[in-house]
Amino acid sequence: MAAKPVLDLQVSVRDLEEAERAFAGALADRGFALSPYRQDHVPAGSDDDPARWTKRLWTRRGDEGPDVNLHVRVAGSPNERLALLFRDWLRAHPEAVPAYARFKQLLAEAVPDLATYADVKDPVVDLLVAVAEPWAQATGWQASATMTARPAARRP
């Protein structure tokens, strides 16, 4: 999919505070900055407790290697699951990818900052989640199975 030249990575941990203490220094040494964004968007129509959607986000820009958004979420949390469901639904529905990619491209060109980008993108993600959830039910999709189903490709 066409996208901004930024890798979005997700790491799942038991405890966010513990992970922040353990890895903040090592990540800073590698050019990552801890973002003030500590909350993922709760999808529209959900009455879930926003506290269950916390995360840590480290970003790296302009350093050696690619730009990176490193999303650290609690294993088993709804926001960890949603990120995996979103990815897998798009993989299973390649016909939707061009429209979503075009939306993201136009949005990135139109807005100056990450906060506005996220605020505008969130309702579109909500629309995709509205069709992805029934797909997950119909197919028996589970986040735990997708995390082990495809080993990460090794780079040369």
Side-chain angles (χ1 to χ4, degrees):
M1 172 167 50
K4 61 191 183 297
V6 178
L7 295 176
D8 276 301
L9 305 174
Q10 175 168 273
V11 174
S12 301
V13 299
R14 282 187 310 242
D15 183 272
L16 290 173
E17 288 79 19
E18 182 181 319
E20 184 177 344
R21 283 190 305 273
F23 298 110
L27 287 169
D29 291 346
R30 288 164 180 78
F32 285 84
L34 181 59
S35 167
Y37 300 107
R38 293 183 173 238
Q39 190 74 32
D40 276 323
H41 164 75
V42 179
S46 172
D47 61 357
D48 200 4
D49 180 358
R52 292 177 12 100
W53 292 74
T54 60
K55 72 173 182 180
R56 296 297 182 272
L57 173 64
W58 277 271
T59 61
R60 183 178 70 190
R61 299 291 186 272
D63 205 58
E64 186 176 318
D67 289 351
V68 177
N69 293 330
L70 178 63
H71 304 267
V72 180
R73 296 179 173 112
V74 173
S77 66
N79 51 342
E80 178 212 34
R81 178 188 177 277
L82 182 109
L84 297 169
L85 172 61
F86 192 79
R87 177 202 65 193
D88 290 351
W89 186 86
L90 284 170
R91 285 178 176 169
H93 296 87
E95 69 279 7
V97 170
Y100 183 63
R102 181 70 176 140
F103 163 73
K104 286 182 62 172
Q105 177 188 18
L106 291 172
L107 179 58
E109 292 170 2
V111 300
D113 61 272
L114 183 61
T116 304
Y117 178 89
D119 286 345
V120 175
K121 186 180 85 164
D122 285 342
V124 173
V125 171
D126 292 350
L127 288 170
L128 289 177
V129 169
V131 295
E133 287 293 355
W135 171 81
Q137 290 289 333
T139 63
W141 177 91
Q142 293 183 17
S144 59
T146 114
M147 293 189 328
T148 58
R150 292 187 187 199
R154 298 204 181 262
R155 292 185 180 222

